[in-house]
Amino acid sequence: MATNAMDRRRINGPQRTVEPIYSKDTDPFASGRKDSRSLDQVRPIYMKTGPLSTQANDLSASSAAAASGSAFYEQGNIRVSCAVYGPRQGRKSNTRMGSFDCDFRYAPFSCSWKKRSHVRGADEKEISLMLEHAIAPAIRLDAYPKACIDAFVTVIESDGKSATIAAAINCISAALVDAGIEMYDSVAACSMGLWESQWVADCSQAEENVSSSTMIIAYMPSADEVTYMLQHGKTSPDQTDQAVQTCINMCTRVYAVLCRGLQASISE
């Protein structure tokens, strides 16, 4: 028997359908950089060393968790904090050289390009090793035999993966100075991205997404020594040489900002 009864177990679709609107990735360089910076200009930098809270000095001196030095580093939308502990008893008692260890972590809410967990990821462990290799050459580890210096870095907000790593290096350098660790020189870092045939300094995440190659350089200006260099993507020898020279110039500018910030913290 034929029937026109409606099957109520199904959800009837609307009578009129509309084609969905898909968002398209726009070129961040189409009308210049979003923040009106030049291609060789880094974002404004703010740095503060010592306890971030004025009430931290009221804590008990017997607190075992008190850091030897700390720093907060802000560069555009990037915000990084670092706490340095040590020098303290090392894990090996028969070494003539001290050791430097770094623990790098993203806050769960810090990244816009990847969902983060409270569990330390593989990329965070890899970045921790990168930071150790970039900072260790600047520390006088021979002055701390059988000792260990630990740095704990937390990314509060990230805007550009390569730029965040460079900001972490700058933050660690400031925290080491605040802790009174003997160093040959402070390490300044900068990142660059290759867009078409031009190198762009301190790329945001949107700019980094359209970059064909990225480069990070950690540099000691007073010693004129590159402590670490990392490049992703293919470039010609001339492009690589141009990026290295430009990145070193940017590191020198960042180094001057770090020195002024450290001098200001001493005078406070």
Side-chain angles (χ1 to χ4, degrees):
M1 182 177 63
T3 179
N4 294 326
M6 181 178 61
D7 188 355
R8 300 185 181 277
R9 294 173 298 179
R10 297 184 180 182
I11 299 176
N12 298 321
Q15 296 180 356
R16 179 174 175 270
T17 60
V18 179
E19 183 180 357
I21 300 176
Y22 298 97
S23 61
K24 298 181 179 179
D25 295 334
T26 58
D27 188 354
F29 300 102
S31 58
R33 306 187 76 172
K34 186 176 180 180
D35 49 7
S36 302
R37 286 184 293 143
S38 61
L39 297 181
D40 61 346
Q41 185 179 1
V42 299
R43 284 168 281 189
I45 296 174
Y46 170 79
M47 186 190 69
K48 177 179 176 60
T49 58
L52 301 181
S53 172
T54 56
Q55 298 178 355
N57 295 327
D58 299 334
L59 297 177
S60 174
S62 61
S63 176
S68 303
S70 59
F72 173 78
Y73 186 90
E74 184 175 326
Q75 185 170 330
N77 292 331
I78 299 175
R79 292 172 178 81
V80 183
S81 65
C82 176
V84 172
Y85 297 84
R88 53 189 180 184
Q89 180 64 40
R91 300 168 181 82
K92 297 181 180 179
S93 58
N94 58 348
T95 57
R96 297 182 180 180
M97 297 281 291
S99 63
F100 173 73
D101 297 323
C102 180
D103 183 283
F104 177 90
R105 294 177 184 270
Y106 286 103
F109 50 83
S110 62
C111 300
S112 60
W113 72 89
K114 183 178 180 180
K115 184 178 180 180
R116 292 289 173 180
S117 172
H118 64 281
V119 180
R120 192 181 183 197
D123 58 337
E124 294 171 315
K125 296 179 182 179
E126 180 181 1
I127 295 175
S128 298
L129 293 176
M130 292 165 53
L131 298 179
E132 292 175 8
H133 294 161
I135 297 294
I139 304 176
R140 286 198 58 197
L141 295 177
D142 58 329
Y144 304 101
K146 305 179 181 180
C148 178
I149 301 172
D150 299 319
F152 295 87
V153 182
T154 302
V155 177
I156 303 172
E157 185 176 357
S158 176
D159 187 15
K161 184 176 181 180
S162 299
T164 300
I165 297 174
I169 295 175
N170 298 330
C171 188
I172 295 173
S173 296
L176 288 171
V177 174
D178 184 62
I181 303 298
E182 295 187 29
M183 303 175 66
Y184 297 106
D185 192 13
S186 295
V187 180
C190 185
S191 66
M192 302 197 74
L194 181 63
W195 173 70
E196 293 184 352
S197 60
Q198 293 180 314
W199 285 101
V200 182
D202 189 21
C203 292
S204 63
Q205 188 59 45
E207 295 171 344
E208 190 173 314
N209 290 337
V210 299
S211 299
S212 59
S213 178
T214 58
M215 177 179 290
I216 305 172
I217 284 184
Y219 179 66
M220 293 191 296
S222 298
D224 192 18
E225 179 181 347
V226 175
T227 62
Y228 190 79
M229 174 178 172
L230 177 67
Q231 177 180 343
H232 289 286
K234 294 182 180 181
T235 56
S236 65
D238 293 338
Q239 288 177 330
T240 302
D241 183 67
Q242 179 187 2
V244 171
Q245 296 300 326
T246 307
C247 218
I248 287 177
N249 293 335
M250 295 297 101
C251 290
T252 304
R253 298 181 188 179
V254 174
Y255 178 82
V257 176
L258 293 177
C259 290
R260 288 197 297 267
L262 292 172
Q263 292 174 356
S265 64
I266 292 174
S267 60
E268 290 180 356

